[in-house]
Amino acid sequence: MAKKVGAILLDTRSIQKYVFSCNKLKTNVGASYLVDGIFNDLMQNIILPKYNLKMPDISWKKSDGIQMIKDNTIKAEIVYIGGGNMLILINKFLKEEDNLKLCRDIVSSWSLEILKKAPGLKTGAAIGMMNVSEDAFKDSLDDMYVQLKQNQNTVLPQVDLPYTGLTLECDISGKTADTFDWVDKKWIAKEVKAKTDAYKYAAKKVRSEYKDILEKDGSRDKYDFASELEKIGCKEGESYISVIHIDGNNMGVKFSKCKDSQERKKLSLTVVKIVQNAFRELIQGIIDEYDSKVYDEVLDKRDLIDDKGKKLLPIRPIIIGGDDITFVCPARVGIEYAKRFIEAVNKQDFLNDEQYERMSREVKEENKSMKLSKTMSCCGGVAIVPLKYPFFRAYQLAEHLCGSAKTKSRQDDSSLIDFAILYGEMTPSLEQLCRYQYVAPEGYLHYGPYYIKKNSDEDIADKSSINDLLSLKDKLKAKVANNEIKDKLKDKVASNKIKELRDVLTRDLHSQIRFLENCEGVRDIIKEECNTKDIEAKAFWQKKDGEDDLKTRYVDAIEIIDFTLPNKED
């Protein structure tokens, strides 16, 4: 067999915009299901079989290498699916141009079916000849990725009917309303209809994946996931949700160091397994504490029951696959759930000893200061927003927060988390939020991102771990007393004083000095935090390792008092 064969490298574009384009949870989940199926279900099970090309008898997941190299009779082979990409090899004809033409026909058929089954979804493809011999595969695949990137920048697919202004507008997506919804009796866009119709399959799939957990104690369908944002347990008067986006660190670097297709495929499957295991652990923990007093205080249990009597979990996965994870939950549990999920991911090995040593060595040759983690380190962004806030904007904020954490993690591959709380209906970018909400005369009012796990032997001496922040929050909360009982408790602080502290930190140092003179309880907290007897207002501010600007942790700690679970000892 010739070493060079036809190759198709597929990807999906603007997935987040497609999935989070509206505030209806069903359409978000349904859209994620459609995206997830365009490779496994559509290309593998529908498109390729139409061409009657002999494929390997075993699944690409179980093969021990490229079967086409060993068997000349194989004409088409899926090498791997993962990271939003799919690689297919084609070797039906002797001439290169004939194989390339067949590759183009396959991509054309696939694209046409996507327009029908997932209207509005943008995809991309690179077509070329690949050398699949062991010593040339990596470089040949790199060339395909370069071509794919070039195509992304030059090919702009039209996947929607244009909205001319003379047609009815879909009130959900803003696109042309060209399909009648017989359930709600109104015209909507085909894209919205496809996503909504896909929801029932998505719901069935996720229940099947976690069936053994949801049917705890042998009771069929005892637990389930909510189908509406209003049913995830937000307490009355606290109509805020957390949109959480989590992404793996340096995944492109690690996959680029794979020596062959087999190693790349195994790493892709390992990512899926790690993420699924971590999410299972998160769900199991939620179920174990479902009936606890802690949840009674922060969630509305009346909302967490559906019309069939099932208990609805205060979490809804939207994208759980690969190293790109998004889920939504009540604001009160967002930071805690993101922390638990990342901790569960960090417990599992991603690279074996040989891979870790080899990849670390190769990375060091390119960047001496860069480190890799043996585990699948990841970073998270938690956007705490009003329930009615535009979902796509909330997701964008969570993604940008995750990005700020990843910037901090890039050199040592540590796991970090960052968060932001939006009040009211403002729609700022993260940059605007930082500029207008966090800048003060003495320094910066946001201390994040916070470490969940640091990939080095250094201690987190600057108190930039999420556990340090939660500890400070608990100390501040423990000092709060109602005005009626404050006089009877010497070490307590009136609740309005804690809120006043947040405002005082936005002013000059003199205002902070005056505040400390009149608030012994806050002075006690600072003494404990700094492990010293003499306290000045400057103790509110410090420099994080590697940074020049002064920052304070106290505003973050005050703000999350109402957006975290209470201490179990409370």
Side-chain angles (χ1 to χ4, degrees), residues 125-172:
I127 296 170
M129 299 300 294
M130 273 191 66
N131 191 328
V132 294
S133 59
E134 185 175 339
D135 57 341
F137 178 84
K138 184 177 181 298
D139 290 338
S140 191
L141 181 60
D142 288 343
D143 291 340
M144 291 289 290
Y145 272 103
V146 169
Q147 182 190 337
L148 184 65
K149 188 66 177 178
Q150 290 173 343
N151 291 348
Q152 288 176 342
N153 296 330
T154 56
V155 180
L156 305 175
Q158 176 62 45
V159 294
D160 296 304
L161 288 174
Y163 182 69
T164 65
L166 299 176
T167 50
L168 186 65
E169 178 181 313
C170 173
D171 62 0
I172 297 175

Short mmCIF file of all heavy atoms in Angstrom, two decimals, residues 125-172:
data_model
loop_
_atom_site.label_atom_id
_atom_site.label_comp_id
_atom_site.label_asym_id
_atom_site.label_seq_id
_atom_site.Cartn_x
_atom_site.Cartn_y
_atom_site.Cartn_z
N ALA A 125 -13.36 21.89 7.23
CA ALA A 125 -12.70 20.67 6.78
C ALA A 125 -11.39 21.02 6.08
O ALA A 125 -11.26 22.07 5.44
CB ALA A 125 -13.60 19.88 5.84
N ALA A 126 -10.42 20.12 6.21
CA ALA A 126 -9.18 20.18 5.44
C ALA A 126 -9.06 18.86 4.71
O ALA A 126 -9.29 17.79 5.29
CB ALA A 126 -7.98 20.40 6.35
N ILE A 127 -8.75 18.92 3.43
CA ILE A 127 -8.63 17.72 2.59
C ILE A 127 -7.24 17.71 1.98
O ILE A 127 -6.77 18.73 1.46
CB ILE A 127 -9.70 17.71 1.49
CG1 ILE A 127 -11.09 17.61 2.12
CG2 ILE A 127 -9.47 16.56 0.51
CD1 ILE A 127 -12.22 17.84 1.14
N GLY A 128 -6.56 16.57 2.02
CA GLY A 128 -5.22 16.47 1.46
C GLY A 128 -4.71 15.05 1.48
O GLY A 128 -5.44 14.12 1.83
N MET A 129 -3.45 14.89 1.10
CA MET A 129 -2.80 13.58 1.15
C MET A 129 -1.92 13.53 2.39
O MET A 129 -1.20 14.48 2.70
CB MET A 129 -1.95 13.37 -0.10
CG MET A 129 -2.74 13.40 -1.40
SD MET A 129 -4.03 12.12 -1.51
CE MET A 129 -3.04 10.62 -1.54
N MET A 130 -2.01 12.41 3.11
CA MET A 130 -1.22 12.24 4.33
C MET A 130 -0.29 11.05 4.22
O MET A 130 -0.67 10.00 3.68
CB MET A 130 -2.13 12.04 5.55
CG MET A 130 -2.60 13.30 6.21
SD MET A 130 -3.41 12.96 7.80
CE MET A 130 -2.02 12.33 8.76
N ASN A 131 0.90 11.23 4.71
CA ASN A 131 1.84 10.12 4.83
C ASN A 131 1.59 9.46 6.18
O ASN A 131 1.80 10.06 7.23
CB ASN A 131 3.28 10.64 4.75
CG ASN A 131 4.29 9.51 4.62
OD1 ASN A 131 4.08 8.41 5.14
ND2 ASN A 131 5.39 9.78 3.93
N VAL A 132 1.12 8.21 6.16
CA VAL A 132 0.71 7.55 7.40
C VAL A 132 1.77 6.63 7.97
O VAL A 132 1.52 5.90 8.92
CB VAL A 132 -0.60 6.75 7.18
CG1 VAL A 132 -1.74 7.68 6.87
CG2 VAL A 132 -0.42 5.70 6.07
N SER A 133 2.99 6.65 7.38
CA SER A 133 4.07 5.85 7.96
C SER A 133 4.43 6.43 9.32
O SER A 133 4.25 7.63 9.58
CB SER A 133 5.30 5.86 7.05
OG SER A 133 5.76 7.17 6.84
N GLU A 134 4.93 5.58 10.20
CA GLU A 134 5.14 5.96 11.59
C GLU A 134 6.05 7.18 11.75
O GLU A 134 5.79 8.05 12.58
CB GLU A 134 5.73 4.76 12.35
CG GLU A 134 5.87 5.01 13.84
CD GLU A 134 6.33 3.78 14.60
OE1 GLU A 134 6.15 2.66 14.06
OE2 GLU A 134 6.85 3.94 15.70
N ASP A 135 7.10 7.27 10.95
CA ASP A 135 8.07 8.35 11.12
C ASP A 135 7.60 9.68 10.50
O ASP A 135 8.18 10.73 10.78
CB ASP A 135 9.43 7.96 10.51
CG ASP A 135 9.30 7.60 9.03
OD1 ASP A 135 8.18 7.32 8.58
OD2 ASP A 135 10.34 7.61 8.33
N ALA A 136 6.56 9.64 9.67
CA ALA A 136 6.12 10.86 8.98
C ALA A 136 4.72 11.31 9.39
O ALA A 136 4.29 12.40 9.01
CB ALA A 136 6.17 10.65 7.47
N PHE A 137 4.00 10.49 10.15
CA PHE A 137 2.59 10.79 10.46
C PHE A 137 2.43 12.13 11.18
O PHE A 137 1.57 12.95 10.83
CB PHE A 137 1.99 9.67 11.31
CG PHE A 137 0.56 9.93 11.71
CD1 PHE A 137 -0.49 9.63 10.86
CD2 PHE A 137 0.26 10.51 12.94
CE1 PHE A 137 -1.80 9.89 11.22
CE2 PHE A 137 -1.05 10.78 13.31
CZ PHE A 137 -2.07 10.46 12.45
N LYS A 138 3.24 12.37 12.21
CA LYS A 138 3.08 13.58 13.03
C LYS A 138 3.23 14.85 12.18
O LYS A 138 2.40 15.75 12.25
CB LYS A 138 4.12 13.58 14.16
CG LYS A 138 3.98 14.75 15.12
CD LYS A 138 4.99 14.63 16.26
CE LYS A 138 4.83 15.78 17.23
NZ LYS A 138 5.09 17.09 16.61
N ASP A 139 4.28 14.92 11.37
CA ASP A 139 4.49 16.11 10.53
C ASP A 139 3.38 16.25 9.50
O ASP A 139 2.94 17.37 9.20
CB ASP A 139 5.85 16.02 9.83
CG ASP A 139 7.02 16.18 10.79
OD1 ASP A 139 6.80 16.75 11.87
OD2 ASP A 139 8.13 15.73 10.47
N SER A 140 2.94 15.12 8.96
CA SER A 140 1.88 15.15 7.95
C SER A 140 0.57 15.64 8.56
O SER A 140 -0.16 16.43 7.94
CB SER A 140 1.69 13.75 7.36
OG SER A 140 0.87 13.79 6.23
N LEU A 141 0.29 15.22 9.78
CA LEU A 141 -0.93 15.67 10.46
C LEU A 141 -0.83 17.16 10.81
O LEU A 141 -1.82 17.89 10.69
CB LEU A 141 -1.17 14.84 11.73
CG LEU A 141 -2.42 15.19 12.54
CD1 LEU A 141 -3.68 15.01 11.70
CD2 LEU A 141 -2.50 14.36 13.81
N ASP A 142 0.35 17.61 11.22
CA ASP A 142 0.55 19.03 11.50
C ASP A 142 0.23 19.88 10.27
O ASP A 142 -0.38 20.96 10.38
CB ASP A 142 1.99 19.29 11.95
CG ASP A 142 2.26 18.76 13.36
OD1 ASP A 142 1.29 18.51 14.09
OD2 ASP A 142 3.44 18.60 13.72
N ASP A 143 0.61 19.40 9.10
CA ASP A 143 0.31 20.12 7.86
C ASP A 143 -1.19 20.20 7.62
O ASP A 143 -1.70 21.23 7.14
CB ASP A 143 0.98 19.41 6.67
CG ASP A 143 2.50 19.54 6.69
OD1 ASP A 143 3.00 20.45 7.37
OD2 ASP A 143 3.18 18.71 6.04
N MET A 144 -1.92 19.13 7.97
CA MET A 144 -3.37 19.15 7.82
C MET A 144 -4.00 20.19 8.75
O MET A 144 -4.94 20.90 8.37
CB MET A 144 -3.95 17.76 8.12
CG MET A 144 -3.61 16.70 7.08
SD MET A 144 -4.47 16.96 5.51
CE MET A 144 -6.15 16.57 5.97
N TYR A 145 -3.48 20.29 9.97
CA TYR A 145 -4.01 21.28 10.91
C TYR A 145 -3.72 22.71 10.44
O TYR A 145 -4.53 23.61 10.65
CB TYR A 145 -3.44 21.05 12.32
CG TYR A 145 -4.26 20.07 13.13
CD1 TYR A 145 -3.85 18.75 13.31
CD2 TYR A 145 -5.47 20.46 13.70
CE1 TYR A 145 -4.61 17.86 14.05
CE2 TYR A 145 -6.23 19.58 14.45
CZ TYR A 145 -5.80 18.28 14.61
OH TYR A 145 -6.56 17.39 15.33
N VAL A 146 -2.57 22.91 9.83
CA VAL A 146 -2.25 24.23 9.27
C VAL A 146 -3.25 24.59 8.18
O VAL A 146 -3.77 25.71 8.12
CB VAL A 146 -0.81 24.25 8.71
CG1 VAL A 146 -0.57 25.53 7.89
CG2 VAL A 146 0.21 24.15 9.82
N GLN A 147 -3.55 23.60 7.32
CA GLN A 147 -4.54 23.84 6.25
C GLN A 147 -5.92 24.12 6.84
O GLN A 147 -6.64 24.99 6.37
CB GLN A 147 -4.60 22.63 5.32
CG GLN A 147 -5.57 22.82 4.15
CD GLN A 147 -5.81 21.56 3.36
OE1 GLN A 147 -5.00 20.65 3.37
NE2 GLN A 147 -6.95 21.48 2.69
N LEU A 148 -6.28 23.37 7.89
CA LEU A 148 -7.58 23.57 8.53
C LEU A 148 -7.68 24.99 9.09
O LEU A 148 -8.72 25.65 8.95
CB LEU A 148 -7.77 22.55 9.66
CG LEU A 148 -9.11 22.55 10.37
CD1 LEU A 148 -10.24 22.15 9.43
CD2 LEU A 148 -9.08 21.60 11.58
N LYS A 149 -6.61 25.47 9.70
CA LYS A 149 -6.61 26.82 10.26
C LYS A 149 -6.73 27.86 9.14
O LYS A 149 -7.46 28.85 9.29
CB LYS A 149 -5.31 27.04 11.04
CG LYS A 149 -5.27 28.34 11.82
CD LYS A 149 -6.31 28.35 12.93
CE LYS A 149 -6.24 29.61 13.76
NZ LYS A 149 -7.28 29.65 14.81
N GLN A 150 -6.04 27.63 8.04
CA GLN A 150 -6.13 28.55 6.90
C GLN A 150 -7.55 28.60 6.36
O GLN A 150 -8.08 29.67 6.03
CB GLN A 150 -5.15 28.12 5.81
CG GLN A 150 -3.69 28.34 6.18
CD GLN A 150 -2.74 27.75 5.16
OE1 GLN A 150 -3.13 26.92 4.32
NE2 GLN A 150 -1.49 28.16 5.22
N ASN A 151 -8.18 27.44 6.28
CA ASN A 151 -9.57 27.38 5.79
C ASN A 151 -10.52 28.12 6.72
O ASN A 151 -11.48 28.76 6.28
CB ASN A 151 -10.01 25.93 5.63
CG ASN A 151 -9.31 25.22 4.49
OD1 ASN A 151 -8.65 25.86 3.67
ND2 ASN A 151 -9.41 23.91 4.44
N GLN A 152 -10.25 28.02 8.03
CA GLN A 152 -11.10 28.74 9.00
C GLN A 152 -11.06 30.24 8.76
O GLN A 152 -12.05 30.95 8.96
CB GLN A 152 -10.64 28.42 10.43
CG GLN A 152 -10.97 27.02 10.90
CD GLN A 152 -10.41 26.74 12.28
OE1 GLN A 152 -9.51 27.44 12.76
NE2 GLN A 152 -10.90 25.71 12.93
N ASN A 153 -9.90 30.73 8.35
CA ASN A 153 -9.71 32.17 8.15
C ASN A 153 -10.20 32.67 6.80
O ASN A 153 -10.38 33.87 6.60
CB ASN A 153 -8.24 32.54 8.33
CG ASN A 153 -7.73 32.29 9.73
OD1 ASN A 153 -8.48 32.37 10.69
ND2 ASN A 153 -6.46 31.97 9.86
N THR A 154 -10.37 31.76 5.85
CA THR A 154 -10.71 32.19 4.48
C THR A 154 -12.07 31.70 4.00
O THR A 154 -12.69 32.32 3.12
CB THR A 154 -9.64 31.69 3.49
OG1 THR A 154 -9.51 30.26 3.58
CG2 THR A 154 -8.29 32.33 3.78
N VAL A 155 -12.57 30.59 4.56
CA VAL A 155 -13.86 30.04 4.14
C VAL A 155 -14.91 30.38 5.19
O VAL A 155 -14.82 29.95 6.34
CB VAL A 155 -13.79 28.50 3.96
CG1 VAL A 155 -15.14 27.97 3.53
CG2 VAL A 155 -12.72 28.14 2.94
N LEU A 156 -15.90 31.17 4.81
CA LEU A 156 -16.95 31.59 5.73
C LEU A 156 -18.27 30.98 5.28
O LEU A 156 -18.98 31.53 4.43
CB LEU A 156 -17.05 33.12 5.75
CG LEU A 156 -15.74 33.86 6.09
CD1 LEU A 156 -15.93 35.36 5.95
CD2 LEU A 156 -15.27 33.51 7.49
N PRO A 157 -18.63 29.83 5.83
CA PRO A 157 -19.83 29.13 5.37
C PRO A 157 -21.12 29.87 5.69
O PRO A 157 -21.26 30.45 6.77
CB PRO A 157 -19.77 27.79 6.12
CG PRO A 157 -18.95 28.07 7.34
CD PRO A 157 -17.95 29.11 6.93
N GLN A 158 -22.06 29.87 4.74
CA GLN A 158 -23.38 30.45 4.95
C GLN A 158 -24.33 29.32 5.36
O GLN A 158 -24.63 28.44 4.55
CB GLN A 158 -23.88 31.12 3.67
CG GLN A 158 -25.29 31.68 3.77
CD GLN A 158 -25.42 32.77 4.82
OE1 GLN A 158 -24.58 33.66 4.91
NE2 GLN A 158 -26.45 32.69 5.65
N VAL A 159 -24.76 29.33 6.61
CA VAL A 159 -25.56 28.22 7.12
C VAL A 159 -26.96 28.64 7.53
O VAL A 159 -27.71 27.85 8.09
CB VAL A 159 -24.84 27.54 8.31
CG1 VAL A 159 -23.55 26.87 7.86
CG2 VAL A 159 -24.55 28.56 9.42
N ASP A 160 -27.33 29.89 7.27
CA ASP A 160 -28.65 30.39 7.64
C ASP A 160 -29.31 31.06 6.45
O ASP A 160 -28.63 31.66 5.60
CB ASP A 160 -28.55 31.41 8.78
CG ASP A 160 -28.01 30.81 10.05
OD1 ASP A 160 -28.59 29.83 10.53
OD2 ASP A 160 -26.99 31.32 10.56
N LEU A 161 -30.63 31.00 6.43
CA LEU A 161 -31.36 31.82 5.47
C LEU A 161 -31.21 33.28 5.88
O LEU A 161 -31.35 33.61 7.06
CB LEU A 161 -32.84 31.45 5.46
CG LEU A 161 -33.21 30.11 4.83
CD1 LEU A 161 -34.69 29.83 5.06
CD2 LEU A 161 -32.88 30.09 3.35
N PRO A 162 -30.89 34.18 4.96
CA PRO A 162 -30.70 35.58 5.34
C PRO A 162 -32.00 36.22 5.81
O PRO A 162 -33.07 35.93 5.29
CB PRO A 162 -30.19 36.23 4.04
CG PRO A 162 -30.70 35.34 2.95
CD PRO A 162 -30.68 33.95 3.51
N TYR A 163 -31.88 37.07 6.82
CA TYR A 163 -33.05 37.80 7.33
C TYR A 163 -33.14 39.12 6.57
O TYR A 163 -32.28 39.99 6.70
CB TYR A 163 -32.91 38.05 8.83
CG TYR A 163 -34.09 38.76 9.43
CD1 TYR A 163 -35.32 38.12 9.55
CD2 TYR A 163 -34.00 40.08 9.86
CE1 TYR A 163 -36.41 38.76 10.09
CE2 TYR A 163 -35.08 40.74 10.40
CZ TYR A 163 -36.30 40.07 10.52
OH TYR A 163 -37.38 40.70 11.05
N THR A 164 -34.14 39.26 5.75
CA THR A 164 -34.24 40.42 4.85
C THR A 164 -34.96 41.61 5.45
O THR A 164 -34.89 42.70 4.92
CB THR A 164 -34.99 40.01 3.57
OG1 THR A 164 -36.34 39.68 3.92
CG2 THR A 164 -34.31 38.83 2.90
N GLY A 165 -35.66 41.40 6.54
CA GLY A 165 -36.47 42.48 7.11
C GLY A 165 -37.90 42.42 6.63
O GLY A 165 -38.79 43.06 7.19
N LEU A 166 -38.14 41.63 5.58
CA LEU A 166 -39.49 41.45 5.05
C LEU A 166 -40.07 40.10 5.47
O LEU A 166 -41.14 39.72 5.04
CB LEU A 166 -39.48 41.57 3.52
CG LEU A 166 -38.99 42.91 2.99
CD1 LEU A 166 -38.92 42.87 1.47
CD2 LEU A 166 -39.90 44.04 3.45
N THR A 167 -39.32 39.39 6.27
CA THR A 167 -39.78 38.09 6.77
C THR A 167 -39.95 38.17 8.28
O THR A 167 -39.38 39.05 8.94
CB THR A 167 -38.77 36.98 6.43
OG1 THR A 167 -37.46 37.40 6.83
CG2 THR A 167 -38.78 36.68 4.94
N LEU A 168 -40.70 37.22 8.84
CA LEU A 168 -40.95 37.20 10.28
C LEU A 168 -39.68 36.81 11.03
O LEU A 168 -38.96 35.91 10.62
CB LEU A 168 -42.07 36.20 10.58
CG LEU A 168 -42.57 36.15 12.03
CD1 LEU A 168 -43.24 37.46 12.41
CD2 LEU A 168 -43.56 34.99 12.18
N GLU A 169 -39.43 37.49 12.13
CA GLU A 169 -38.24 37.21 12.94
C GLU A 169 -38.59 36.23 14.06
O GLU A 169 -39.61 36.37 14.74
CB GLU A 169 -37.69 38.51 13.52
CG GLU A 169 -36.48 38.31 14.41
CD GLU A 169 -35.97 39.61 15.01
OE1 GLU A 169 -35.82 40.58 14.26
OE2 GLU A 169 -35.73 39.64 16.24
N CYS A 170 -37.73 35.26 14.27
CA CYS A 170 -37.89 34.30 15.37
C CYS A 170 -37.62 35.04 16.69
O CYS A 170 -36.55 35.63 16.86
CB CYS A 170 -36.92 33.13 15.21
SG CYS A 170 -36.89 32.00 16.61
N ASP A 171 -38.56 34.99 17.62
CA ASP A 171 -38.39 35.74 18.86
C ASP A 171 -37.45 35.05 19.84
O ASP A 171 -37.16 35.57 20.91
CB ASP A 171 -39.75 36.00 19.53
CG ASP A 171 -40.47 34.72 19.93
OD1 ASP A 171 -39.92 33.63 19.70
OD2 ASP A 171 -41.58 34.81 20.47
N ILE A 172 -36.94 33.87 19.47
CA ILE A 172 -35.99 33.16 20.32
C ILE A 172 -34.56 33.39 19.85
O ILE A 172 -33.67 33.71 20.62
CB ILE A 172 -36.29 31.64 20.35
CG1 ILE A 172 -37.68 31.40 20.96
CG2 ILE A 172 -35.23 30.90 21.16
CD1 ILE A 172 -38.11 29.96 20.92
#
